[in-house]
Each structure stands twice: as C-alpha cells, then as structure tokens.
Amino acid sequence: MDRNSVIGGKYMSLALELAEKGRGKVEPNPMVGAVLVKNGEIVGKGYHQVFGGHHAEINAINEAGTNCTEATLYVSMEPCAHYGKTAPCVDAIIKAGITKVVISVTDPNPITSGKGIQKLKAAGIEVGIGVMESQAKRLNAPFFKLMQKGFPYVIVKWAMSIDGKIATYTGDSKWITSEESREYVHKIRGQMDGILVGINSVLRDDPLLTCRIKGGRNPKRIIIDSNASLPLNSRIVNTINEGEVIVAVNENARQKQVEMLEKLGCKIIQTNGINDRVDLNELFKRLGAMNLTNILVEGGGSVITSMLEERLVDKLMVFIAPIVIGGEGAKLPVVGKGIDRICEAYQIKEITVNRFSNDIVIEGVF
C-alpha cells in the first residue's frame, strides 16, 4: 500500500467515525461524514446530524471557511446532486474552490447515483472513488438495502437463558437479562425506525416498545396482528402520541375492530395471506415504501421463526444470560419444523461478542 493510500485511509476512517454519530437521527437518509484537508492538515470536519439538516459536506465547508480553496474533501458517500430537503452538495463543493474529492462509495439512490461524481468532474475537480468502500457499505447497510431492494434492514433480537429458553413454561420472561443489557437494547431501539412484535407478545406482556434512553427517539411500533386483536386499552394504543402504531392484519381481520383501531390513531396495513396469516413479504415491502430503513424484531418465537423462514432477516442479536430455566414447555426463540440436516442451517457471519454485566451478546449478519 502506497503512502497516499495510507493517508487517504486515515482521513476516510475519520469521516466514517463522524458519520456514525448520525445513527438514529438522520434516517431515512444515510449517515455521512466529511473531512477537509489542506497542506496535510485538517481544516474542516462535519457529519449529517439530523434529517432535514445540513449534509456532512456543508458542515465541513462551513467549518473550514476560506481554507476550502484548493483543499481535498474526504467524504464517506458520493455528494448529492439533486434538490431534496437541502440544496445539492456538489454545487457548494464547486463554489468553495475544493480541487479534489475522495469518495468512499457511490450513492445507491437512483435519483443521484453517479450524478454527483459526474458534475464534480465536469467542473474540473479531481475525483477518487473506493477508499474504505466495504466499511462505508457496512455502515449504511440499511440505506443500501432500502435503495436497492425496497425492503428495510431487519435485526432480530432475543434474550435467552444459557439453556436456550426465552420464557418459562408459564410465559414469564421478566427479566432474563441484566439491567445493563436492557439499557443497551433501549439504545438500539432509539436508533431504529421501527420495532416489531407479534400480537401474542403484546397480549402477554402489554409492553410499551418505546425507547427509554434520554435523547433517544421512539421507533414506530409495529404489531403483527392477523385478526386485529390488539386491545383498545393496551399501553401501546394509549401511548400513540409517543410513537406511531402500525398494525399489520390479514385481509380477513374483523373489520369493526380494524375501524376502531384506526379511529384511535393506529395505521392499519392489510395484507393478503395464507391461512389467515399476515403476508410478511408484502408487509415489509409496504414498510420499505414508507421509508423505514431499519426494523428491530423482538419476538415472539413464531414471528422470529417466520422471519427466518421467509429469509427476511439481515442481522441477529442474541443475549445469553447465565441462568438455567429448563422445562419441556418453556418458550424457545425459534420454533417450527426446523431443518433436516446441519448443512441446511442458517449461517451467521461477521460475528462480534460483547458482555453486559454477566450477560453475553452475540451479533452477526446473514
């Protein structure tokens, strides 16, 4: 690796670190970071801080001021060339007198993909592409999936005992994991566009499904509820002003109950389905059309199983607590028929292992 590649990697690594700060605040936009360098020194930094606000490039340009002239801009995604919530970033880059732009990855959004690069080159600006590309794609995996496939990025999470149970045979599951683990889950919730559970989990636990971390946003709460059985007096419905509630029902759901839920402010997504079940592929396609980039699925076992069987899961997050629950009737995270042979098992990659108190959390992608 030559010296210029090492230096470029250093600045792009910083741009990616800055981009990460926008997680949970900029969606459905991508997280983007930018670093301006002149004569070997950083003269401006910025990242996309909030949806609708200045993009990373603009924040970096504003910080650098007159030092932008003949500077090099390192940016973790192709600058936009279209009008959206803000003016095109390429226009500001050209106007600032920047002479070189190093881009990690091309924007997958068809509205702007390649157009920003083309406009920069047409203005006589030198453009480099592909520095830390795989890291940039991994950072914005939800955005890439939404742009390229029209589906949200799906994280499935469960907490279980060391013998693989998510609840006792009576259904009790509070609390399997430590308070520290639960705080981490609330942090993740605050970064999500939506959180999804099945109706049985709602009927059993009457959860809020909100983020209880200070400064965290409440995700849209999505309930898989084939027959529209969500109680009108449930805590989810009673807190609809704190976070949108989406109820996914089958086409044969009780119409009167559907109308009552709508009257209370719930958004109803009615899908076709087999055997009176919600069509998950149709549901997630509709959620993608609503610009939900990432969704956290928290159960229960039948919902998780269906998600895996339909190949809708992108990432797993499994918390393992050092307790033994036992019991043949105790609840499992994945049920159904299962596979015939080990070689057919779902393969998890890019594994990370962390510890919260005495719990272990294993994360990996498919």
Side-chain angles (χ1 to χ4, degrees), residues 57 89 117 133 232 234 248 260 271 313 324:
E57 302 93 321
C89 289
I117 293 169
E133 182 177 8
L232 303 180
S234 64
M260 292 176 74
T271 74
V313 183
V324 176

Side-chain angles (χ1 to χ4, degrees), residues 4 41 54 109 117 155 179 197 201-202 267-268 281 286 321:
N4 287 337
E41 294 201 6
H54 288 315
N109 187 340
I117 293 169
I155 302 173
E179 184 176 347
V197 297
S201 295
V202 177
K267 179 178 177 58
I268 304 295
N281 274 284
R286 300 267 291 274

Side-chain angles (χ1 to χ4, degrees), residues 8 27 38 73 78 119 146 170 189 198 219-220 235 253 269 280 300 303 319 323 336:
E27 292 82 357
K38 185 173 182 177
L73 174 67
E78 176 185 5
K119 195 168 183 179
L146 184 66
T170 65
R189 281 186 182 182
K220 297 180 191 300
R235 295 205 296 167
I269 295 181
L280 291 176
V303 169
F319 292 78
I323 60 172

Side-chain angles (χ1 to χ4, degrees), residues 99-139:
T99 52
K100 182 177 180 179
V101 177
V102 181
I103 298 165
S104 188
V105 66
T106 304
D107 192 333
N109 187 340
I111 294 174
T112 199
S113 184
K115 296 181 179 68
I117 293 169
Q118 186 178 21
K119 195 168 183 179
L120 290 170
K121 288 181 175 179
I125 294 174
E126 182 183 349
V127 178
I129 308 167
V131 178
M132 301 188 72
E133 182 177 8
S134 60
Q135 294 92 327
K137 286 183 175 180
R138 191 179 304 120
L139 174 75

Side-chain angles (χ1 to χ4, degrees), residues 49-163:
Q49 298 178 11
V50 62
F51 179 70
H54 288 315
H55 288 186
E57 302 93 321
I58 306 303
N59 287 326
I61 287 170
N62 288 343
E63 183 176 292
T66 57
N67 282 321
C68 289
T69 307
E70 298 186 355
T72 297
L73 174 67
Y74 293 83
V75 60
S76 61
M77 186 174 287
E78 176 185 5
C80 64
H82 67 286
Y83 281 90
K85 293 282 185 182
T86 61
C89 289
V90 289
D91 293 351
I93 292 169
I94 295 166
K95 184 179 179 181
I98 293 165
T99 52
K100 182 177 180 179
V101 177
V102 181
I103 298 165
S104 188
V105 66
T106 304
D107 192 333
N109 187 340
I111 294 174
T112 199
S113 184
K115 296 181 179 68
I117 293 169
Q118 186 178 21
K119 195 168 183 179
L120 290 170
K121 288 181 175 179
I125 294 174
E126 182 183 349
V127 178
I129 308 167
V131 178
M132 301 188 72
E133 182 177 8
S134 60
Q135 294 92 327
K137 286 183 175 180
R138 191 179 304 120
L139 174 75
N140 277 304
F143 181 73
F144 274 85
K145 185 181 180 185
L146 184 66
M147 290 297 106
Q148 294 172 343
K149 298 182 179 179
F151 280 78
Y153 189 87
V154 176
I155 302 173
V156 165
K157 165 260 171 186
W158 70 73
M160 67 183 186
S161 61
I162 205 165
D163 60 330

Side-chain angles (χ1 to χ4, degrees), residues 199 224-228 248-254 276-278:
I199 184 60
I224 304 290
D225 185 14
S226 299
N227 201 35
V249 303
N250 185 267
E251 58 186 353
N252 298 320
R254 295 172 294 169
D276 289 334
R277 298 176 68 183
V278 169

